[in-house]
Amino acid sequence: MGNRADDEGTDVEIYIRPLTDTVHADTPTDAPEELLALLDSLGFERKTATAGPVYVWHEVPDRLTEAEKKWLATSAVPSLLVAGYLVNITNAVWDAAAYQEAAEAVRRQSGAAAAPHTATASVIRAHGSPATPRRR
């Protein structure tokens, strides 16, 4: 099994698994429990394979529609960024409206709480906008 987060040097790689409609969220080998728990709390389902080395990843629940899967995956990005994680999400999963809504919700929560962690994110300008995380 490959691990895109290890391959890309990111904390979370969100993509559609080839030849399926499964939305994956890969984390590095030996990712901290805090990251795995955050993905759990954002609606992803934790999966584990133990054949050989232990491999942990997350998936968006299969019961959701394609649009709901994209919404859940994209809306997780602002929370991951604010928590300080480097996130990459592919264009096949990206939903700009979900990102904007989730980012606004995070801003409202951050305004009511203490200053959030500084986000460590790689950003590519999509359509000239500097506010989107790195996408492919």
Side-chain angles (χ1 to χ4, degrees):
M1 267 184 182
N3 182 321
R4 288 190 178 191
D6 284 341
D7 295 343
E8 299 296 328
T10 58
D11 295 309
V12 183
E13 285 284 322
I14 302 173
Y15 63 97
I16 296 176
R17 186 90 177 163
L19 305 176
T20 73
D21 64 351
T22 303
V23 177
H24 261 244
D26 283 358
T27 53
T29 303
D30 298 324
E33 178 57 32
E34 295 82 17
L35 172 55
L36 302 177
L38 178 56
L39 287 165
D40 295 341
S41 74
L42 293 169
F44 289 86
E45 295 177 343
R46 192 182 305 201
K47 308 288 183 169
T48 306
T50 55
V54 175
Y55 177 60
V56 178
W57 72 96
H58 283 77
E59 295 178 3
V60 171
D62 282 335
R63 69 182 176 280
L64 301 178
T65 66
E66 182 179 337
E68 290 169 333
K69 288 177 182 181
K70 289 180 179 182
W71 188 273
L72 187 147
T74 303
S75 65
V77 173
S79 294
L80 291 163
L81 294 174
V82 168
Y85 296 109
L86 177 61
V87 178
N88 184 37
I89 183 168
T90 62
N91 284 334
V93 182
W94 181 252
D95 182 320
Y99 179 81
Q100 292 300 327
E101 185 174 311
E104 191 56 41
V106 167
R107 281 188 206 103
R108 283 192 303 271
Q109 288 175 345
S110 296
H117 299 286
T118 302
T120 305
S122 175
V123 177
I124 289 180
R125 293 174 193 218
H127 307 293
S129 171
T132 56
R134 183 172 78 171
R135 301 186 292 142
R136 288 189 205 169

